[in-house]
Amino acid sequence: MIHLSQLSKVFASSNGGILPALGPLNLTINAGEFVCLVGPSGCGKSTLLRILAELDSPSGGSFQIAKNADRNVTPTLVFQGDSTFPWMTVFENVGYGLRMQGVDSKDSDAIVEQMLRTVGLSQFAESYPYQLSGGMKQRVALARAWANDPAILLMDEPFGALDEQTRLSLQHELLHIWELGDTLKKNKDQAKKTVLFVTHSIDEALVLGDRVLVMSQRPGLIRDEISVPFARPRDPITLKRDPLYGELAYRLWQALK
Amino acid sequence: MSKERLLPFISPLILLTIWEMLARIGVIDIRFFPAPSEIFGTLIKITQDGSLLEATLTTLRRMSIGYVLAAIPAVLLGVLMGVNRFARLLFAPLINSLYPIPKIALVPMVILIFGISENAKYAVVIISVFFLVVINTMAGVLNLDPKYFDIARNNGARGWDLLWTVAFPGSLPNILTGLNLGLGFALTVIVGTELLLPQGGLGAMIWKSYQIYDVPTIFAALIVVAVLGWGINVAMEELERQIIPWKALPQAQAKNLSTNAKPVAEPRIRRFIRIWWMAARPFSFTASVTPVVLGSAIAAYDGFFNLGLFILTLVGSVAIHAGTNLINDYYDWKKGTDTAESLGPNRPLKEGLITPQQLFVAALLTFALGSAVGLYLVATRGVFILIIGVLSVLAGWFYTAGPFAFAYVGLGEVVVFIFMGPVMVLGSYYVMAQQWPWRVVWLAVPLGLIVASILHANNMRDYPDDLAKGKRTLANLLGRRASKNEFLLLMGGGFVVLVLLVLLGIAPWLTLITLFELPNAIKLIRLGYATEAPQPLNKLVRASAASHKRFGWLMIAGMIAAWVVRG
């Protein structure tokens, strides 16, 4: 669960004044919900994610986030572009969060192996990122995020730099992992992770989200909200034949104008 | 294509030929430009009388002591300045203002402070290397994409975690570049200092030769300096490859991107070398090269080094090893055990690049070369070599043949330990030193234990197969549990024995740099305990071999460093 009340962020501008970047925002995202956030560049989407990931602090207002019950993990952020550490093998990259959180190496190895199997990278466990393609690197980032097993996952245009085909297959994979539910299968009540997914692409938002939020130009405010009623599990390709898909896409484009 | 490959060799050769001709017909003044053949002759002469080796060792000793004393604090300070703004603001003005001073200009000041002493020479090297390495290290940390720190924090890294998992490994490539530049610079500066303070070393050799107008010696010393500079560069690049396996080398990247792109037409000589190189399985040579080089390094440490004998020993043992590989593959092919679907060793044979007959002839030729070298060594260096040679051949023969084949009665590890450890090390030591002190046997024990651990890992992997075939190995005689302890004993024992040897004063303390390999060895021992599945055990075999290679080279590096430092 994520709850924002009057959350805002301002930056100091070069001429000494202040530059409102975000909000004030009021928003509630329910546990297990997949919410996509679309909006023009520079509207503060990334800033919002950084605040929720505790890499930045808000200028005003407050937010509450649900944390993982037994390990108290902050929301994991999947960064824009390549976010693997070049000096670690795939295995070490995926296990990094677990290691930093002091998880016993036997347990963490088992989790990492399971995640690598899920994203189909078992054979590349000992490879270094330079030996992987862009899509494979994003799979590593996904696997690392899931291995951490946070209650909330924040994703900042993770597939933005990929070609269309790779992007489709990764969207498919993301939905698949998400629908598998909790990584450790410990918390039965919290089957799926809460996801806040930032994207430029309206198609991506419709394919992935339960709900799409449209943000306005700086300072970012939530201008519109569309719920996406497609049944799950979804297939990113067949979805596009649904007449409702075109209708929703049209409404989103209108809202963005 | 092949023309282009030859060009880099042609221009120096032409230059040397013209030079030689001009000198001989008297067009150029041989007082200033002696003929290349004369320079070469001088090089041989001062190599034989030992003066060149002594000068080189002196220069290397000054360079490396000064370098190490400067590089370690420089890396620490550089990392600190990179991660800590306060430290950066505090030290940067000092570093930035002192860095541009031409260091050789400080020699008079250094002499005033330290007098004309060895310390003065170390001081010049330290000053030269320190600033260069600090600046490169700091830049390395500062240039690291801040995104990595965000990712680390978001994954729960705090404080020191950030330093050890992000700042340090992330800036390591730049740190090593700085260290590489620093070492090259250290050589330049120490030779320059020796010109000004001519007391031993290559610089002094050049200066003193100048004073007596001995121009060929000047050229000979210059050649050695150039070769040292080149060697340092090559060694540092190899070190970099070992330390930074994640760095995409241009070569590896190209291989990755175009797996199907093949060279258009390979020159015939290159193709020949490549195929036979592949056929001889050079990756297995480490097992015979390492003990030979170690034995020679110990001999060097004891003051018996001789380049010619070293090369002969190396060539002889590699030839015998290559011959053994080739003949094994030939008989495997004849017996048909090594069929197309097996992972069998000889790829060129399987791919039809060479015929079995060619393989057989090649094996004989290689053996002939090895035997010729061996007999020469026996004739000039004594019967002891012959005894060692005959014992080794017998051990090799009865390893898999005869009613009491060592490998089939659980003695494989013992035989490999004795022959790939003490026997080979002692043999190559004896070639130079003409004596066989027990000390050398002890020094070979760690290497022998670790080479035996490779075979043991192999037997742990083949446990069920060997049991079924009735091949008794130490692993299945002991049983699964005890064989894991045995692996610990061999792999871990290598390190324990080495530390004991250092404590007892038998091994120089610099050989403790082998402990860099210890974390890796511990990982392998844990892997050995953790698994009984063939797949990870196969990994254990390969990783043990890699570990043996690194352990061997670190030990050799330690011996050589001890030799150089002692002078």
Side-chain angles (χ1 to χ4, degrees):
Chain A
M1 193 271 299
I2 306 175
H3 183 72
L4 315 180
S5 59
Q6 295 295 93
L7 187 84
S8 67
K9 178 79 185 174
V10 294
F11 290 115
S13 74
S14 50
N15 57 20
I18 55 163
L19 204 68
L22 184 70
L25 288 178
N26 289 302
L27 173 68
T28 301
I29 296 172
N30 299 318
E33 200 179 6
F34 200 127
V35 174
C36 291
L37 195 57
V38 295
S41 319
C43 72
K45 297 172 303 218
S46 295
T47 309
L48 173 60
L49 292 194
R50 286 180 63 86
I51 291 172
L52 294 177
E54 296 174 13
L55 292 171
D56 221 334
S57 48
S59 311
S62 66
F63 67 96
Q64 292 154 10
I65 43 179
K67 291 196 172 183
N68 179 307
D70 40 303
R71 263 192 285 132
N72 203 27
V73 183
T74 52
T76 297
L77 175 57
V78 177
F79 289 71
Q80 228 166 341
D82 176 15
S83 61
T84 55
F85 293 114
W87 50 88
M88 295 181 196
T89 60
V90 167
F91 196 93
E92 291 165 340
N93 259 298
V94 174
Y96 182 74
L98 296 168
R99 202 177 120 209
M100 288 301 112
Q101 290 142 30
V103 177
D104 186 70
S105 74
K106 232 182 228 166
D107 295 342
S108 92
D109 285 359
I111 296 171
V112 172
E113 271 161 29
Q114 185 200 327
M115 283 320 303
L116 285 177
R117 246 177 285 133
T118 311
V119 297
L121 285 178
S122 297
Q123 286 179 310
F124 295 90
E126 298 304 316
S127 302
Y128 285 99
Y130 81 90
Q131 295 164 310
L132 307 180
S133 67
M136 288 155 97
K137 286 182 199 165
Q138 285 312 329
R139 287 197 174 90
V140 174
L142 279 186
R144 178 168 63 206
W146 245 274
N148 285 348
D149 197 27
I152 294 166
L153 207 66
L154 307 166
M155 307 188 87
D156 190 2
E157 289 185 56
F159 310 144
L162 302 175
D163 63 90
E164 195 63 26
Q165 225 176 328
T166 313
R167 194 177 173 138
L168 265 177
S169 74
L170 272 163
Q171 287 168 359
H172 197 109
E173 223 157 284
L174 171 61
L175 285 176
H176 170 70
I177 306 174
W178 180 64
E179 273 152 13
L180 282 178
D182 184 51
T183 313
L184 300 178
K185 310 276 179 213
K186 272 185 195 159
N187 309 326
K188 290 280 188 294
D189 53 324
Q190 180 213 321
K192 286 174 184 167
K193 296 189 188 309
T194 314
V195 181
L196 181 55
F197 190 105
V198 165
T199 176
H200 264 120
S201 154
I202 283 178
D203 276 328
E204 188 162 73
L206 284 175
V207 163
L208 298 175
D210 293 319
R211 199 150 48 116
V212 180
L213 306 175
V214 180
M215 271 179 99
S216 66
Q217 198 56 266
R218 177 190 297 253
L221 292 167
I222 291 171
R223 188 199 264 177
D224 203 350
E225 171 181 332
I226 291 175
S227 80
V228 185
F230 299 124
R232 293 185 189 272
R234 294 176 183 171
D235 175 54
I237 297 168
T238 48
L239 210 60
K240 291 181 179 151
R241 286 175 59 188
D242 197 316
L244 185 59
Y245 185 89
E247 177 62 29
L248 291 174
Y250 177 74
R251 274 186 55 195
L252 280 172
W253 279 115
Q254 288 294 328
L256 270 171
K257 252 207 290 202
Chain B
M1 168 106 186
S2 59
K3 253 186 214 158
E4 267 181 30
R5 278 185 191 288
L6 287 176
L7 276 180
F9 299 97
I10 286 175
S11 55
L13 273 178
I14 290 178
L15 179 72
L16 283 176
T17 317
I18 294 177
W19 181 355
E20 180 82 34
M21 284 186 332
L22 293 180
R24 294 216 175 183
I25 56 181
V27 175
I28 53 173
D29 191 338
I30 55 167
R31 284 176 304 172
F32 304 135
F33 298 102
S37 55
E38 194 188 343
I39 296 172
F40 188 70
T42 308
L43 199 56
I44 301 274
K45 198 190 83 201
I46 55 177
T47 305
Q48 278 171 345
D49 71 16
S51 58
L52 183 63
L53 184 65
E54 200 195 320
T56 308
L57 285 179
T58 304
T59 298
L60 279 179
R61 184 187 70 231
R62 289 168 179 162
M63 181 191 85
S64 38
I65 290 177
Y67 178 72
V68 171
L69 289 179
I72 294 172
V75 168
L76 294 177
L77 181 63
V79 171
L80 180 70
M81 286 172 70
V83 293
N84 186 307
R85 207 178 127 76
F86 179 76
R88 187 158 64 245
L89 291 175
L90 191 63
F91 292 113
L94 271 178
I95 306 273
N96 288 334
S97 56
L98 293 177
Y99 173 62
I101 299 177
K103 301 303 173 308
I104 207 85
L106 292 175
V107 173
M109 271 317 294
V110 170
I111 297 175
L112 281 178
I113 296 168
F114 291 95
I116 298 178
S117 63
E118 284 301 286
N119 287 346
K121 281 143 201 148
Y122 299 147
V124 180
V125 176
I126 290 171
I127 296 167
S128 317
V129 173
F130 184 79
F131 297 100
L132 193 69
V133 175
V134 168
I135 285 180
N136 269 286
T137 307
M138 182 182 71
V141 179
L142 286 176
N143 285 337
L144 201 56
D145 191 339
K147 176 176 80 177
Y148 293 125
F149 289 102
D150 281 345
I151 299 169
R153 273 195 209 98
N154 182 241
N155 276 282
R158 296 290 177 267
W160 288 104
D161 295 338
L162 291 170
L163 189 67
W164 286 119
T165 65
V166 181
F168 188 65
S171 48
L172 204 52
N174 277 312
I175 293 177
L176 282 176
T177 306
L179 286 173
N180 189 359
L181 287 174
L183 192 53
F185 196 38
L187 179 67
T188 312
V189 164
I190 191 60
V191 172
T193 309
E194 284 167 352
L195 287 172
L196 295 168
L197 295 172
Q199 302 153 306
L202 290 166
M205 187 177 223
I206 292 172
W207 185 252
K208 287 180 174 159
S209 309
Y210 155 75
Q211 286 179 318
I212 56 167
Y213 300 110
D214 178 4
V215 179
T217 305
I218 297 183
F219 275 99
L222 284 176
I223 290 173
V224 175
V225 174
V227 170
L228 280 184
W230 173 80
I232 284 170
N233 209 10
V234 170
M236 289 299 282
E237 270 169 22
E238 176 59 28
L239 187 73
E240 197 172 325
R241 239 162 37 88
Q242 292 289 332
I243 296 182
I244 318 183
W246 67 84
K247 198 173 161 191
L249 299 164
Q251 219 179 340
Q253 223 167 19
K255 216 191 267 172
N256 237 20
L257 292 176
S258 57
T259 35
N260 50 356
K262 280 194 172 157
V264 198
E266 199 180 15
R268 277 172 57 198
I269 298 176
R270 238 198 81 168
R271 182 186 143 86
F272 178 84
I273 293 174
R274 182 176 63 87
I275 288 175
W276 284 104
W277 182 245
M278 213 190 326
R281 288 191 274 134
F283 293 111
S284 65
F285 291 171
T286 313
S288 55
V289 168
T290 316
V292 167
V293 180
L294 181 59
S296 309
I298 300 171
Y301 179 71
D302 290 353
F304 298 111
F305 187 71
N306 181 310
L307 186 65
L309 289 174
F310 170 66
I311 292 173
L312 279 178
T313 317
L314 201 60
V315 168
S317 57
V318 167
I320 298 278
H321 196 150
T324 313
N325 285 348
L326 294 171
I327 201 78
N328 276 338
D329 289 349
Y330 176 73
Y331 281 111
D332 277 349
W333 170 82
K334 260 188 108 174
K335 272 193 274 180
T337 48
D338 190 23
T339 44
E341 72 270 15
S342 79
L343 284 166
N346 207 301
R347 266 180 47 210
L349 183 65
K350 218 173 304 161
E351 291 172 5
L353 295 171
I354 52 181
T355 66
Q357 287 72 28
Q358 285 175 328
L359 190 65
F360 187 71
V361 172
L364 287 187
L365 286 176
T366 334
F367 271 129
L369 174 66
S371 313
V373 173
L375 287 176
Y376 172 80
L377 288 176
V378 170
T380 53
R381 310 305 289 174
V383 188
F384 185 69
I385 310 289
L386 184 66
I387 299 171
I388 283 185
V390 170
L391 282 179
S392 304
V393 168
L394 287 179
W397 181 263
F398 288 111
Y399 188 73
T400 49
F404 192 73
F406 300 125
Y408 289 82
V409 293
L411 285 175
E413 281 89 340
V414 180
V415 171
V416 163
F417 163 74
I418 293 174
F419 283 89
M420 298 297 226
V423 169
M424 285 195 73
V425 173
L426 188 62
S428 36
Y429 179 88
Y430 184 86
V431 167
M432 289 182 195
Q434 299 281 286
Q435 48 183 296
W436 40 289
W438 278 100
R439 215 182 97 252
V440 178
V441 175
W442 296 127
L443 283 172
V445 167
L447 192 67
L449 286 172
I450 290 179
V451 83
S453 79
I454 307 176
L455 179 65
H456 192 69
N458 189 66
N459 290 341
M460 282 163 81
R461 179 196 61 192
D462 296 342
Y463 190 95
D465 279 359
D466 290 343
L467 214 55
K469 277 192 291 185
K471 177 175 172 181
R472 276 177 295 167
T473 63
L474 204 52
N476 60 34
L477 284 175
L478 290 170
R480 279 277 193 206
R481 267 191 71 86
S483 82
K484 292 174 178 185
N485 293 333
E486 171 75 19
F487 187 74
L488 165 70
L489 210 66
L490 292 172
M491 183 61 94
F495 290 91
V496 173
V497 171
L498 184 78
V499 171
L500 281 178
L501 291 174
V502 170
L503 291 179
L504 293 172
I506 295 174
W509 64 269
L510 275 166
T511 54
L512 286 179
I513 58 168
T514 46
L515 294 183
F516 275 116
E517 185 56 21
L518 186 59
N520 214 348
I522 290 173
K523 236 164 84 182
L524 294 184
I525 293 167
R526 285 180 57 188
L527 177 65
Y529 273 106
T531 182
E532 293 181 1
Q535 205 60 23
L537 283 178
N538 195 32
K539 195 175 137 194
L540 185 68
V541 177
R542 277 184 290 129
S544 306
S547 184
H548 164 255
K549 181 174 160 186
R550 284 191 296 265
F551 181 90
W553 286 112
L554 282 171
M555 172 113 190
I556 289 163
M559 285 305 305
I560 294 177
W563 173 42
V564 167
V565 168
R566 209 172 61 167

CSV table of all heavy atoms in Angstrom, one decimal, chain B residues 273-300:
chain,number,residue,atom,x,y,z
B,273,ILE,N,50.4,-22.7,-37.1
B,273,ILE,CA,50.7,-22.6,-35.7
B,273,ILE,C,49.4,-22.7,-34.8
B,273,ILE,O,49.4,-23.4,-33.8
B,273,ILE,CB,51.3,-21.2,-35.4
B,273,ILE,CG1,52.7,-21.1,-36.1
B,273,ILE,CG2,51.4,-20.9,-34.0
B,273,ILE,CD1,53.3,-19.8,-36.1
B,274,ARG,N,48.3,-22.1,-35.3
B,274,ARG,CA,47.1,-22.2,-34.5
B,274,ARG,C,46.6,-23.6,-34.3
B,274,ARG,O,46.3,-24.1,-33.2
B,274,ARG,CB,46.0,-21.4,-35.2
B,274,ARG,CG,44.7,-21.3,-34.4
B,274,ARG,CD,43.7,-20.4,-35.1
B,274,ARG,NE,43.3,-20.8,-36.4
B,274,ARG,CZ,42.4,-21.7,-36.6
B,274,ARG,NH1,41.6,-22.2,-35.7
B,274,ARG,NH2,42.1,-22.1,-37.9
B,275,ILE,N,46.6,-24.4,-35.4
B,275,ILE,CA,46.1,-25.8,-35.3
B,275,ILE,C,47.0,-26.6,-34.4
B,275,ILE,O,46.4,-27.3,-33.5
B,275,ILE,CB,46.0,-26.4,-36.7
B,275,ILE,CG1,44.9,-25.7,-37.5
B,275,ILE,CG2,45.8,-27.9,-36.7
B,275,ILE,CD1,44.8,-26.1,-38.9
B,276,TRP,N,48.3,-26.5,-34.6
B,276,TRP,CA,49.1,-27.4,-33.7
B,276,TRP,C,49.2,-26.9,-32.3
B,276,TRP,O,49.3,-27.7,-31.4
B,276,TRP,CB,50.5,-27.5,-34.3
B,276,TRP,CG,50.5,-28.4,-35.5
B,276,TRP,CD1,50.5,-28.1,-36.8
B,276,TRP,CD2,50.3,-29.8,-35.5
B,276,TRP,NE1,50.4,-29.2,-37.6
B,276,TRP,CE2,50.3,-30.3,-36.8
B,276,TRP,CE3,50.2,-30.8,-34.4
B,276,TRP,CZ2,50.1,-31.6,-37.1
B,276,TRP,CZ3,50.0,-32.1,-34.8
B,276,TRP,CH2,50.0,-32.5,-36.1
B,277,TRP,N,49.0,-25.6,-32.1
B,277,TRP,CA,49.0,-25.1,-30.8
B,277,TRP,C,47.7,-25.7,-30.1
B,277,TRP,O,47.8,-26.1,-28.9
B,277,TRP,CB,48.9,-23.5,-30.9
B,277,TRP,CG,48.8,-22.8,-29.6
B,277,TRP,CD1,47.8,-22.0,-29.1
B,277,TRP,CD2,49.8,-22.7,-28.6
B,277,TRP,NE1,48.1,-21.5,-27.9
B,277,TRP,CE2,49.4,-21.8,-27.6
B,277,TRP,CE3,51.1,-23.2,-28.5
B,277,TRP,CZ2,50.1,-21.5,-26.5
B,277,TRP,CZ3,51.9,-22.9,-27.4
B,277,TRP,CH2,51.4,-22.0,-26.4
B,278,MET,N,46.6,-25.7,-30.8
B,278,MET,CA,45.4,-26.3,-30.3
B,278,MET,C,45.6,-27.7,-30.0
B,278,MET,O,45.1,-28.3,-29.0
B,278,MET,CB,44.3,-26.1,-31.3
B,278,MET,CG,42.9,-25.8,-30.7
B,278,MET,SD,41.5,-25.9,-31.8
B,278,MET,CE,42.0,-25.2,-33.3
B,279,ALA,N,46.2,-28.4,-30.9
B,279,ALA,CA,46.4,-29.9,-30.8
B,279,ALA,C,47.2,-30.2,-29.6
B,279,ALA,O,47.0,-31.3,-28.9
B,279,ALA,CB,47.0,-30.5,-32.1
B,280,ALA,N,48.2,-29.4,-29.3
B,280,ALA,CA,49.1,-29.7,-28.1
B,280,ALA,C,48.5,-29.4,-26.8
B,280,ALA,O,49.0,-29.7,-25.8
B,280,ALA,CB,50.4,-28.9,-28.3
B,281,ARG,N,47.3,-28.8,-26.8
B,281,ARG,CA,46.5,-28.5,-25.6
B,281,ARG,C,47.4,-27.7,-24.6
B,281,ARG,O,47.7,-28.1,-23.5
B,281,ARG,CB,46.0,-29.8,-24.9
B,281,ARG,CG,44.9,-30.4,-25.7
B,281,ARG,CD,44.2,-31.5,-25.0
B,281,ARG,NE,44.8,-32.8,-25.1
B,281,ARG,CZ,45.1,-33.6,-24.1
B,281,ARG,NH1,44.8,-33.2,-22.9
B,281,ARG,NH2,45.6,-34.7,-24.4
B,282,PRO,N,47.7,-26.5,-25.0
B,282,PRO,CA,48.6,-25.7,-24.2
B,282,PRO,C,48.1,-25.3,-22.8
B,282,PRO,O,48.9,-25.0,-21.9
B,282,PRO,CB,48.8,-24.4,-25.0
B,282,PRO,CG,47.7,-24.3,-25.9
B,282,PRO,CD,47.3,-25.7,-26.2
B,283,PHE,N,46.8,-25.4,-22.6
B,283,PHE,CA,46.2,-25.1,-21.3
B,283,PHE,C,46.7,-26.0,-20.2
B,283,PHE,O,46.8,-25.7,-19.0
B,283,PHE,CB,44.7,-25.1,-21.3
B,283,PHE,CG,44.2,-24.0,-22.2
B,283,PHE,CD1,43.5,-24.2,-23.4
B,283,PHE,CD2,44.4,-22.6,-21.8
B,283,PHE,CE1,43.1,-23.2,-24.2
B,283,PHE,CE2,43.9,-21.6,-22.6
B,283,PHE,CZ,43.3,-21.9,-23.8
B,284,SER,N,47.1,-27.2,-20.6
B,284,SER,CA,47.6,-28.2,-19.6
B,284,SER,C,49.1,-27.9,-19.3
B,284,SER,O,49.6,-28.5,-18.4
B,284,SER,CB,47.4,-29.6,-20.2
B,284,SER,OG,48.2,-29.8,-21.3
B,285,PHE,N,49.7,-27.1,-20.1
B,285,PHE,CA,51.2,-26.8,-19.9
B,285,PHE,C,51.5,-26.2,-18.5
B,285,PHE,O,52.6,-26.4,-18.0
B,285,PHE,CB,51.8,-25.9,-20.9
B,285,PHE,CG,51.8,-26.5,-22.3
B,285,PHE,CD1,52.2,-25.8,-23.4
B,285,PHE,CD2,51.6,-27.9,-22.5
B,285,PHE,CE1,52.2,-26.3,-24.7
B,285,PHE,CE2,51.6,-28.4,-23.7
B,285,PHE,CZ,52.0,-27.7,-24.8
B,286,THR,N,50.5,-25.4,-18.0
B,286,THR,CA,50.7,-24.8,-16.7
B,286,THR,C,51.3,-25.8,-15.7
B,286,THR,O,52.2,-25.5,-14.9
B,286,THR,CB,49.4,-24.3,-16.1
B,286,THR,OG1,48.7,-23.6,-17.1
B,286,THR,CG2,49.6,-23.4,-14.9
B,287,ALA,N,50.8,-27.0,-15.7
B,287,ALA,CA,51.2,-28.0,-14.7
B,287,ALA,C,52.7,-28.3,-14.8
B,287,ALA,O,53.3,-28.6,-13.8
B,287,ALA,CB,50.4,-29.3,-14.9
B,288,SER,N,53.3,-28.2,-16.0
B,288,SER,CA,54.7,-28.5,-16.1
B,288,SER,C,55.5,-27.2,-16.1
B,288,SER,O,56.7,-27.2,-15.7
B,288,SER,CB,55.0,-29.3,-17.4
B,288,SER,OG,54.5,-28.7,-18.5
B,289,VAL,N,54.9,-26.1,-16.7
B,289,VAL,CA,55.7,-24.8,-16.7
B,289,VAL,C,55.9,-24.3,-15.3
B,289,VAL,O,57.0,-23.8,-14.9
B,289,VAL,CB,55.0,-23.8,-17.6
B,289,VAL,CG1,55.6,-22.4,-17.4
B,289,VAL,CG2,55.0,-24.2,-19.1
B,290,THR,N,54.8,-24.3,-14.5
B,290,THR,CA,54.9,-23.7,-13.2
B,290,THR,C,56.0,-24.3,-12.3
B,290,THR,O,56.8,-23.5,-11.8
B,290,THR,CB,53.5,-23.8,-12.5
B,290,THR,OG1,52.5,-23.5,-13.4
B,290,THR,CG2,53.4,-22.9,-11.3
B,291,PRO,N,56.1,-25.6,-12.2
B,291,PRO,CA,57.2,-26.1,-11.3
B,291,PRO,C,58.6,-25.8,-11.9
B,291,PRO,O,59.5,-25.5,-11.1
B,291,PRO,CB,57.0,-27.6,-11.3
B,291,PRO,CG,55.9,-28.0,-12.2
B,291,PRO,CD,55.2,-26.7,-12.6
B,292,VAL,N,58.7,-25.8,-13.2
B,292,VAL,CA,60.0,-25.4,-13.8
B,292,VAL,C,60.4,-24.0,-13.5
B,292,VAL,O,61.5,-23.7,-13.0
B,292,VAL,CB,60.0,-25.6,-15.3
B,292,VAL,CG1,61.3,-25.0,-16.0
B,292,VAL,CG2,60.0,-27.1,-15.7
B,293,VAL,N,59.4,-23.1,-13.7
B,293,VAL,CA,59.7,-21.7,-13.4
B,293,VAL,C,59.9,-21.5,-11.9
B,293,VAL,O,60.8,-20.7,-11.5
B,293,VAL,CB,58.6,-20.8,-13.9
B,293,VAL,CG1,58.8,-19.3,-13.6
B,293,VAL,CG2,58.4,-21.0,-15.4
B,294,LEU,N,59.2,-22.2,-11.1
B,294,LEU,CA,59.4,-22.0,-9.6
B,294,LEU,C,60.8,-22.5,-9.2
B,294,LEU,O,61.5,-21.8,-8.5
B,294,LEU,CB,58.3,-22.8,-8.9
B,294,LEU,CG,58.4,-22.7,-7.3
B,294,LEU,CD1,58.3,-21.3,-6.9
B,294,LEU,CD2,57.4,-23.6,-6.6
B,295,GLY,N,61.2,-23.7,-9.7
B,295,GLY,CA,62.5,-24.2,-9.4
B,295,GLY,C,63.6,-23.2,-9.9
B,295,GLY,O,64.6,-22.9,-9.1
B,296,SER,N,63.4,-22.6,-11.1
B,296,SER,CA,64.4,-21.6,-11.5
B,296,SER,C,64.4,-20.4,-10.7
B,296,SER,O,65.4,-19.8,-10.4
B,296,SER,CB,64.1,-21.2,-13.0
B,296,SER,OG,63.9,-22.4,-13.8
B,297,ALA,N,63.2,-20.0,-10.2
B,297,ALA,CA,63.1,-18.7,-9.4
B,297,ALA,C,63.8,-19.0,-8.1
B,297,ALA,O,64.5,-18.1,-7.6
B,297,ALA,CB,61.6,-18.4,-9.2
B,298,ILE,N,63.6,-20.2,-7.5
B,298,ILE,CA,64.3,-20.5,-6.3
B,298,ILE,C,65.9,-20.4,-6.5
B,298,ILE,O,66.6,-19.9,-5.7
B,298,ILE,CB,63.9,-21.8,-5.7
B,298,ILE,CG1,62.4,-21.8,-5.4
B,298,ILE,CG2,64.7,-22.1,-4.4
B,298,ILE,CD1,61.8,-23.2,-5.0
B,299,ALA,N,66.3,-21.0,-7.7
B,299,ALA,CA,67.7,-21.0,-8.0
B,299,ALA,C,68.2,-19.6,-8.1
B,299,ALA,O,69.3,-19.2,-7.7
B,299,ALA,CB,67.9,-21.8,-9.3
B,300,ALA,N,67.4,-18.7,-8.8
B,300,ALA,CA,67.7,-17.3,-8.9
B,300,ALA,C,67.9,-16.7,-7.6
B,300,ALA,O,68.8,-15.9,-7.3
B,300,ALA,CB,66.7,-16.6,-9.7
